[in-house]
Amino acid sequence: SQFVYLIFEYIKQEDDANISLSSFELIWNIVPITNTAEQWKSLFEFFLNSFIDQRVDVSLCGIKTFFALITSNTSSLQKEVLEY
């Protein structure tokens, strides 16, 4: 979705690490409207780029946020998403 794309564009920007880090919090606002397996997979693909960010703080924040999303939404994730 365009919202996810926009948030991850803020995460990727390199002018201010604090903008990148605080943008991860916005992802939590998108989770309630992430209903389909395709939407979850798309979200996961965007996360992959944050994992390899050269800024260690941004990379770690991406990893922590990713696993927090999975653990807090495991019961609502389809099997297809978990296997992805």
Side-chain angles (χ1 to χ4, degrees), residues 41 44 78-84:
K41 289 178 184 181
F44 291 170
Q78 299 95 336
K79 183 178 179 182
E80 174 186 351
V81 174
L82 294 172
E83 290 174 354
Y84 183 71

PDB file of all heavy atoms in Angstrom, residues 41 44 78-84:
ATOM      1  N   LYS A  41       2.705  -9.771   3.530  1.00  0.00           N
ATOM      2  CA  LYS A  41       3.929 -10.093   2.790  1.00  0.00           C
ATOM      3  C   LYS A  41       4.596  -8.829   2.267  1.00  0.00           C
ATOM      4  O   LYS A  41       5.821  -8.701   2.312  1.00  0.00           O
ATOM      5  CB  LYS A  41       3.613 -11.044   1.635  1.00  0.00           C
ATOM      6  CG  LYS A  41       3.255 -12.443   2.073  1.00  0.00           C
ATOM      7  CD  LYS A  41       2.923 -13.289   0.851  1.00  0.00           C
ATOM      8  CE  LYS A  41       2.471 -14.668   1.213  1.00  0.00           C
ATOM      9  NZ  LYS A  41       2.178 -15.469   0.007  1.00  0.00           N
ATOM     10  N   PHE A  44       6.356  -7.207   5.118  1.00  0.00           N
ATOM     11  CA  PHE A  44       7.588  -7.933   5.432  1.00  0.00           C
ATOM     12  C   PHE A  44       8.693  -7.608   4.431  1.00  0.00           C
ATOM     13  O   PHE A  44       9.857  -7.472   4.803  1.00  0.00           O
ATOM     14  CB  PHE A  44       7.338  -9.440   5.456  1.00  0.00           C
ATOM     15  CG  PHE A  44       6.484  -9.912   6.608  1.00  0.00           C
ATOM     16  CD1 PHE A  44       6.015 -11.206   6.636  1.00  0.00           C
ATOM     17  CD2 PHE A  44       6.134  -9.065   7.651  1.00  0.00           C
ATOM     18  CE1 PHE A  44       5.235 -11.657   7.684  1.00  0.00           C
ATOM     19  CE2 PHE A  44       5.349  -9.506   8.703  1.00  0.00           C
ATOM     20  CZ  PHE A  44       4.906 -10.808   8.712  1.00  0.00           C
ATOM     21  N   GLN A  78      -2.363 -15.395   8.998  1.00  0.00           N
ATOM     22  CA  GLN A  78      -2.673 -16.634   8.300  1.00  0.00           C
ATOM     23  C   GLN A  78      -1.424 -17.514   8.245  1.00  0.00           C
ATOM     24  O   GLN A  78      -0.307 -17.030   8.261  1.00  0.00           O
ATOM     25  CB  GLN A  78      -3.154 -16.343   6.861  1.00  0.00           C
ATOM     26  CG  GLN A  78      -4.396 -15.511   6.789  1.00  0.00           C
ATOM     27  CD  GLN A  78      -4.083 -14.022   6.600  1.00  0.00           C
ATOM     28  OE1 GLN A  78      -3.019 -13.537   6.934  1.00  0.00           O
ATOM     29  NE2 GLN A  78      -5.044 -13.300   6.063  1.00  0.00           N
ATOM     30  N   LYS A  79      -1.638 -18.817   8.135  1.00  0.00           N
ATOM     31  CA  LYS A  79      -0.536 -19.764   8.066  1.00  0.00           C
ATOM     32  C   LYS A  79       0.397 -19.422   6.902  1.00  0.00           C
ATOM     33  O   LYS A  79       1.611 -19.517   7.028  1.00  0.00           O
ATOM     34  CB  LYS A  79      -1.078 -21.186   7.916  1.00  0.00           C
ATOM     35  CG  LYS A  79      -0.012 -22.244   7.917  1.00  0.00           C
ATOM     36  CD  LYS A  79      -0.602 -23.632   7.804  1.00  0.00           C
ATOM     37  CE  LYS A  79       0.504 -24.659   7.792  1.00  0.00           C
ATOM     38  NZ  LYS A  79      -0.004 -26.003   7.628  1.00  0.00           N
ATOM     39  N   GLU A  80      -0.190 -18.998   5.794  1.00  0.00           N
ATOM     40  CA  GLU A  80       0.585 -18.622   4.602  1.00  0.00           C
ATOM     41  C   GLU A  80       1.586 -17.498   4.924  1.00  0.00           C
ATOM     42  O   GLU A  80       2.714 -17.509   4.443  1.00  0.00           O
ATOM     43  CB  GLU A  80      -0.383 -18.164   3.512  1.00  0.00           C
ATOM     44  CG  GLU A  80       0.265 -17.611   2.282  1.00  0.00           C
ATOM     45  CD  GLU A  80      -0.757 -17.039   1.306  1.00  0.00           C
ATOM     46  OE1 GLU A  80      -1.970 -17.208   1.494  1.00  0.00           O
ATOM     47  OE2 GLU A  80      -0.301 -16.408   0.340  1.00  0.00           O
ATOM     48  N   VAL A  81       1.181 -16.563   5.749  1.00  0.00           N
ATOM     49  CA  VAL A  81       2.050 -15.438   6.123  1.00  0.00           C
ATOM     50  C   VAL A  81       3.170 -15.924   7.027  1.00  0.00           C
ATOM     51  O   VAL A  81       4.337 -15.546   6.856  1.00  0.00           O
ATOM     52  CB  VAL A  81       1.240 -14.325   6.811  1.00  0.00           C
ATOM     53  CG1 VAL A  81       2.153 -13.227   7.324  1.00  0.00           C
ATOM     54  CG2 VAL A  81       0.197 -13.752   5.858  1.00  0.00           C
ATOM     55  N   LEU A  82       2.842 -16.754   8.002  1.00  0.00           N
ATOM     56  CA  LEU A  82       3.857 -17.266   8.912  1.00  0.00           C
ATOM     57  C   LEU A  82       4.896 -18.122   8.189  1.00  0.00           C
ATOM     58  O   LEU A  82       6.062 -18.128   8.563  1.00  0.00           O
ATOM     59  CB  LEU A  82       3.195 -18.044  10.053  1.00  0.00           C
ATOM     60  CG  LEU A  82       2.333 -17.216  10.995  1.00  0.00           C
ATOM     61  CD1 LEU A  82       1.588 -18.114  11.962  1.00  0.00           C
ATOM     62  CD2 LEU A  82       3.174 -16.196  11.744  1.00  0.00           C
ATOM     63  N   GLU A  83       4.475 -18.841   7.180  1.00  0.00           N
ATOM     64  CA  GLU A  83       5.414 -19.671   6.416  1.00  0.00           C
ATOM     65  C   GLU A  83       6.267 -18.839   5.468  1.00  0.00           C
ATOM     66  O   GLU A  83       7.332 -19.268   5.058  1.00  0.00           O
ATOM     67  CB  GLU A  83       4.648 -20.736   5.627  1.00  0.00           C
ATOM     68  CG  GLU A  83       4.035 -21.792   6.523  1.00  0.00           C
ATOM     69  CD  GLU A  83       3.169 -22.764   5.757  1.00  0.00           C
ATOM     70  OE1 GLU A  83       2.932 -22.578   4.546  1.00  0.00           O
ATOM     71  OE2 GLU A  83       2.746 -23.749   6.384  1.00  0.00           O
ATOM     72  N   TYR A  84       5.790 -17.653   5.130  1.00  0.00           N
ATOM     73  CA  TYR A  84       6.499 -16.778   4.211  1.00  0.00           C
ATOM     74  C   TYR A  84       7.781 -16.295   4.842  1.00  0.00           C
ATOM     75  O   TYR A  84       8.814 -16.230   4.317  1.00  0.00           O
ATOM     76  CB  TYR A  84       5.597 -15.590   3.852  1.00  0.00           C
ATOM     77  CG  TYR A  84       6.189 -14.645   2.851  1.00  0.00           C
ATOM     78  CD1 TYR A  84       6.327 -15.005   1.521  1.00  0.00           C
ATOM     79  CD2 TYR A  84       6.600 -13.369   3.223  1.00  0.00           C
ATOM     80  CE1 TYR A  84       6.838 -14.123   0.583  1.00  0.00           C
ATOM     81  CE2 TYR A  84       7.110 -12.484   2.297  1.00  0.00           C
ATOM     82  CZ  TYR A  84       7.236 -12.874   0.984  1.00  0.00           C
ATOM     83  OH  TYR A  84       7.759 -11.978   0.064  1.00  0.00           O
TER      84      TYR A  84
END
